[in-house]
Amino acid sequence: DADYVSPRQEMKIPLAACDAFSREAGFSSVTVQDRMGGRLAGEHLKSLGHSRVTCITTNMICDDFERIQGIRDAGLQTDLFMISGDRTIMREQFRKHDFSHVTAVFCVSDRQAMELLCILHERGIRVPEDLSVIGFDGIEAGIWAVPPLTTIAQDLEAKAETAIASLFEDPASHLIDVELTVRRSTGYAKTIL
């Protein structure tokens, strides 16, 4: 919140913060239902027989934390895999990580999930036959991933429209719905020996 307070005090125009829950007076915040999205991802994986999931994130604060809590709310065991925000380092981490003890991976963003899909292909790990992968955001590029990426989609247009509309209203926190978009990167859990 402190990151938003300073600019708000300096600016004399309305402010809306996206992907943030600010409880500070004076401006609105717009975010998606991150925890519900994580729960939708977890329930989908659970319906396919998955019980243990590796959750990939760069941090455990704000939306990433809420998305992972949602996976846990669905009753899945979770392992955290903290990765670097630097793409080169992240790809190397994906190359070295042992995924043999889980049947599914939840990435807190589609971009991470698509990088992972590329590295898994290089390693000869089949998706979804060996490992299911699900992302979060619903970016259009996920349609063309190989295989197409299952994701928790957010309505970016609704988020933008809400943020703009909130500039002309009393400051408030706004939540945007999310929905599960099932594609071919998730499948039934394999047996782990």
Side-chain angles (χ1 to χ4, degrees), residues 103-158:
T103 58
V105 174
F106 171 67
C107 297
V108 297
S109 79
D110 285 351
R111 292 187 189 284
Q112 293 169 356
M114 290 188 298
E115 291 284 356
L116 178 63
L117 289 175
C118 292
I119 299 301
L120 292 174
H121 177 75
E122 289 175 13
R123 292 177 57 182
I125 298 172
R126 300 170 303 155
V127 176
E129 296 84 359
D130 300 325
L131 190 67
S132 286
V133 175
I134 187 167
F136 199 113
D137 288 326
I139 63 174
E140 190 175 357
I143 296 168
W144 297 288
V146 179
L149 182 64
T150 297
T151 186
I152 301 301
Q154 57 176 298
D155 187 338
L156 295 175
E157 284 186 26

Side-chain angles (χ1 to χ4, degrees), residues 9-146:
Q9 290 172 343
E10 293 174 19
M11 296 187 315
K12 302 300 181 208
I13 59 173
L15 171 70
C18 288
D19 293 328
F21 260 136
S22 177
R23 288 166 178 62
E24 296 292 328
F27 60 94
S28 294
S29 62
V30 181
T31 190
V32 298
Q33 294 192 21
D34 293 302
R35 191 164 185 156
M36 183 178 84
R39 189 171 60 251
L40 289 172
E43 289 169 354
H44 172 64
L45 293 172
K46 198 170 184 179
S47 75
L48 295 171
H50 300 278
S51 60
R52 187 172 186 159
V53 177
T54 292
C55 296
I56 296 178
T57 182
T58 58
N59 64 73
M60 276 300 285
I61 58 173
C62 301
D63 53 352
D64 290 16
F65 174 79
E66 290 297 321
R67 292 171 185 188
I68 292 169
Q69 285 303 110
I71 286 276
R72 292 174 175 161
D73 290 347
L76 294 172
Q77 294 177 1
T78 58
D79 300 325
L80 283 180
F81 179 18
M82 301 294 286
I83 60 168
S84 172
D86 177 275
R87 184 172 181 246
T88 303
I89 296 170
M90 173 181 55
R91 291 175 65 86
E92 190 59 29
Q93 289 174 301
F94 287 163
R95 283 186 184 94
K96 293 179 178 178
H97 190 76
D98 179 11
F99 291 102
S100 65
H101 62 290
V102 297
T103 58
V105 174
F106 171 67
C107 297
V108 297
S109 79
D110 285 351
R111 292 187 189 284
Q112 293 169 356
M114 290 188 298
E115 291 284 356
L116 178 63
L117 289 175
C118 292
I119 299 301
L120 292 174
H121 177 75
E122 289 175 13
R123 292 177 57 182
I125 298 172
R126 300 170 303 155
V127 176
E129 296 84 359
D130 300 325
L131 190 67
S132 286
V133 175
I134 187 167
F136 199 113
D137 288 326
I139 63 174
E140 190 175 357
I143 296 168
W144 297 288
V146 179

